[in-house]
Each structure stands twice: as structure tokens, then as C-alpha cells.
Amino acid sequence: VNTSMVDKIIEKKSIKIAGLPLTTLALELGNVKTANMIAIGAYIRLKNIFSLKQVVRELKSVLMLKKDIIPINKEAIKLGYKYAK
């Protein structure tokens, strides 16, 4: 849940909910559009489905037509990964 935009998180026993200030972190990084990448970084840390190294490495193939945004997206993923600690 993006706690920058939500005041209250309703907890459910059957669902694990992570709250992160995604918009705030993205603005601090310099681009609000990176909030989704911060969420991806947090998600891979919390779910342990891929390594951080794997995800960062694959950015080049996913964003091959937008090479100029790869560096900030790498930073965003790493920030989310770190923040989810």
C-alpha cells in the first residue's frame, strides 16, 4: 500500500500487507513515476522471488527502447528493496 496516499490500512488475517511511502520516496529520488519501480524492489525483497541482481540486470532488456530511464529505475528498485528491509 502506498502510505503516501492512504491514511489507514485495513489489515486482514489472510493477506500480508506492506505499507511504503512510495510517492514520497519517488519524489525524493527525483521522479514520481518511479513509485512503481520502488514497489517492485520492495516486492522482490518481501516475496524473495528473484534476486535484486537479476531484476536490475533484466531492466536493459525490458527498457531497451528507453535507455535514458534505466539508471533512475535501477535506483528506484534498489531503494524499494532496501526500504522493505
Side-chain angles (χ1 to χ4, degrees):
V1 176
N2 184 349
T3 59
S4 299
M5 303 177 90
V6 175
D7 293 330
K8 184 178 179 183
I9 299 173
I10 299 171
E11 306 246 352
K12 293 195 175 208
K13 291 180 184 178
S14 61
I15 301 171
K16 291 183 181 181
I17 299 173
L20 290 94
L22 300 171
T23 303
T24 302
L25 292 171
L27 288 170
E28 289 173 4
L29 196 56
N31 188 332
V32 73
K33 292 180 181 180
T34 61
N36 62 335
M37 294 304 227
I38 295 169
I40 288 171
Y43 184 78
I44 63 168
R45 175 107 192 220
L46 295 171
K47 297 302 284 182
N48 198 28
I49 54 173
F50 300 109
S51 72
L52 176 61
K53 190 175 182 177
Q54 285 175 301
V55 174
V56 169
R57 185 180 57 231
E58 290 303 318
L59 270 180
K60 288 181 184 176
S61 63
V62 174
L63 299 174
M64 72 167 85
L65 298 177
K66 299 180 179 185
K67 294 182 193 277
D68 57 322
I69 64 171
I70 291 173
I72 196 165
N73 280 288
K74 280 184 185 180
E75 282 185 63
I77 291 170
K78 290 177 182 180
L79 179 61
Y81 190 88
K82 181 180 173 184
Y83 199 90
K85 189 177 178 184

